[in-house]
Amino acid sequence: MLAKLSTRSAVRRCAGASALALALLGAGLPAAAADRPQPDLSRFYRQKPVWAACQGPDMPKDLQCAKVTVPLDYARPHAGTLDLALARYRATGTSRGSVLLNFGGPGVAGITELASGGKQFMGLTNGYDVVSFDPRGVGRSSPVSCGEGTDVAAGLAVKDADLGRPKVLLERLRQAAGQCARHSGPVLPHIGTVNASRDLDVIRQALGDDKLNYLGFSYGTRLGAVYAAQFPGKVGRLVLDGVDTLTESLAEQGVAGAEGQQTALDDFLDWCTADVACPFGQDRRAAGDEVLRLVRSLDRDPVPTDFGGAFSGQDLVGAIGQALYSKELWPSLERALGSLVEDGDTRRVLAFATGGINLSAGRQRRDGGLVDAQEVPADNLPAALMAVDCADDPDRPAAARLTKDLADLRAAYDEASPVFGRYRLTQLLMCYGRPRGTDFIRDRVRDVDSAKMLLVGTRGDPATPYRWAEETARRLGPSAVLLDNKGEGHTGYSSSRCVHRKIDDFLLYGSLPASGSSCPADPAGGRVTTDGTG
């Protein structure tokens, strides 16, 4: 966000091990590790999940849960472990193995997403166990946090007045980084996509699959691309939908994201003001001003929530941004904003801000075990998003450079979006005070020598611009097959019947569309059904 394997050093150090252990050890080595002696990972590659019915009132009866254990630090596998939560729907017919899903973020918990939205993947159970997981630092898998409250990604470090006082701002950012480190526990230094990709390979082996069959959305495409670079020989049928960038800096990504979200907000307001129930009235131009006025009012005077802490304007911006990813969420967003505007009720908008995770103070297990679902911190999604993005990005401008560039950055972000600009700028600045991230993704995820992969870019995607799909396809090389979705919304699988069908055809039957082919936009009001036909 890596060169062929060599197990020669490992064989010398493990000469007395069984052939199975050696084979498993070789399977766990990333391609970049060819010239270094490798730690023995065979105990992680030998494990088998123990499946049982998922516990919890919102869990479907046919959803099964389990866990796998991974090293906290792959360079020192005896220094501690983490448990990763898994969930699956069993194949309805003859199973050819598993297809693993990642729902993006970074920071989206796979277990809750599969539990709530699993119906759209039921077509894949014709040949696969459909599996998802909570990545390290996310959901039940050692969740990171920055402390109580839900405004971590927005208001914890950056107040509006601080943007004009760089020294004060940088000190607040440094304090915020320390607070996140204290609340996140030992997983924080080992979070990020490079390690999450190593975890994917352990999960693949634990599921009994020789190759990884994978469907990743949004950030999940970054994870899939890194896996293909680390383990090119283990790539099975791999799909990247809503393709992330592998090259742009966080600053560039933030501007692109703010522009896309502003466009999506404008589209939402066009729709909302045509409805008499719209909380911003029926005057379209005035509605845009009302949204901005509401955000600024809540930033000046945050309102208390039922769960402790305060709800700020930047919390609202984050919630709106999550809800704008899909037009299907617009009615729910309209009702949530109505409750906020008319009654001061924050509960519905908070559900968007937290990704549907239970709102609680949460706790961090220091032993690496799974936490209970009700103990996932309310701020886990934004805290994990920041942690992973910072870990994946090598840019750490010094204080002098940030001070010099801050006014220009603020102007660029405000121009991109008066509503989302400050929120996106804060996400960028929150990396200050954290350790420098890896340069692996930018420098080494390229020209992947793997089986063919299907990449889907959507023309009207508010979060991952279509140009990112084109750029990433070129960067990954001949292995990448690009499908152009002419529709709207973030990702194509759940919004386009054509995309849904082509992805299922590839995963189930290995049938790839021609690179550069396209899917037409669905008719207005069209919706993908559980079998992808609409």
Side-chain angles (χ1 to χ4, degrees), residues 202-216:
V202 174
I203 294 172
R204 172 197 60 76
Q205 180 68 33
L207 294 174
D209 294 332
D210 293 333
K211 301 288 182 73
L212 177 71
N213 302 306
Y214 176 85
L215 173 53

Side-chain angles (χ1 to χ4, degrees), residues 93-387:
T94 302
S95 175
R96 68 191 68 184
S98 302
V99 59
L100 196 59
L101 310 181
N102 180 277
F103 293 96
V108 174
I111 307 305
T112 55
E113 287 293 316
L114 189 60
S116 62
K119 287 185 178 180
Q120 65 180 307
F121 304 102
M122 288 301 101
L124 294 175
T125 61
N126 290 332
Y128 293 106
D129 293 343
V130 175
V131 182
S132 192
F133 67 109
D134 289 354
R136 57 172 62 208
V138 175
R140 298 185 61 206
S141 302
S142 298
V144 295
S145 174
C146 293
E148 293 186 14
T150 61
D151 58 354
V152 175
L156 174 68
V158 180
K159 297 183 181 301
D160 196 56
D162 292 344
L163 292 171
R165 301 181 296 170
K167 287 185 179 180
V168 174
L169 169 63
L170 295 181
E171 180 56 32
R172 288 180 62 84
L173 290 168
R174 190 177 292 107
Q175 292 173 0
Q179 181 174 336
C180 294
R182 288 191 297 274
H183 284 276
S184 292
V187 70
L188 188 61
H190 305 287
I191 206 168
T193 304
V194 172
N195 277 332
S197 172
R198 304 286 307 264
D199 296 341
L200 271 185
D201 201 57
V202 174
I203 294 172
R204 172 197 60 76
Q205 180 68 33
L207 294 174
D209 294 332
D210 293 333
K211 301 288 182 73
L212 177 71
N213 302 306
Y214 176 85
L215 173 53
F217 300 100
S218 193
Y219 160 77
T221 69
R222 189 196 314 172
L223 177 58
V226 170
Y227 183 88
Q230 286 185 307
F231 302 95
K234 295 298 181 181
V235 171
R237 295 172 184 173
L238 191 146
V239 181
L240 311 180
D241 183 7
V243 183
D244 202 354
T245 179
L246 300 175
T247 57
E248 289 192 4
S249 67
L250 283 180
E252 294 168 316
Q253 293 177 48
V255 169
E259 290 174 340
Q261 287 181 306
Q262 184 65 48
T263 299
L265 176 60
D266 291 341
D267 291 343
F268 167 74
L269 290 176
D270 289 341
W271 171 85
C272 183
T273 52
D275 181 3
V276 293
C278 183
F280 305 113
Q282 279 66 60
D283 184 327
R284 171 62 184 84
R285 180 175 296 180
D289 295 336
E290 285 299 315
V291 172
L292 189 56
R293 189 176 296 115
L294 177 61
V295 169
R296 290 174 175 170
S297 174
L298 286 170
D299 276 335
R300 288 191 303 271
D301 298 300
V303 297
T305 72
D306 292 346
F307 310 99
F311 186 80
S312 71
Q314 297 308 297
D315 292 322
L316 175 61
V317 171
I320 293 173
Q322 291 293 320
L324 290 175
Y325 282 156
S326 170
K327 288 185 177 181
E328 290 185 8
L329 297 176
W330 286 5
S332 297
L333 176 60
E334 181 185 42
R335 291 191 293 271
L337 290 170
S339 295
L340 177 65
V341 170
E342 295 162 15
D343 305 318
D345 187 344
T346 62
R347 287 174 294 181
R348 287 180 170 178
V349 286
L350 276 171
F352 288 117
T354 61
I357 294 175
N358 179 68
L359 291 166
S360 68
R363 70 186 182 99
Q364 171 62 240
R365 286 188 61 158
R366 302 282 163 166
D367 62 1
L370 298 181
V371 304
D372 293 337
Q374 65 270 21
E375 293 176 335
V376 177
D379 73 322
N380 178 238
L381 190 154
L385 185 149
M386 287 189 299

Side-chain angles (χ1 to χ4, degrees), residues 117 139 178 183 207 210 278 307 387 389 428 434 436 442 473 484 491:
H183 284 276
L207 294 174
D210 293 333
C278 183
F307 310 99
D389 278 347
L428 169 67
R434 295 178 184 242
R436 181 181 180 273
R442 272 192 220 166
D484 180 356
T491 72

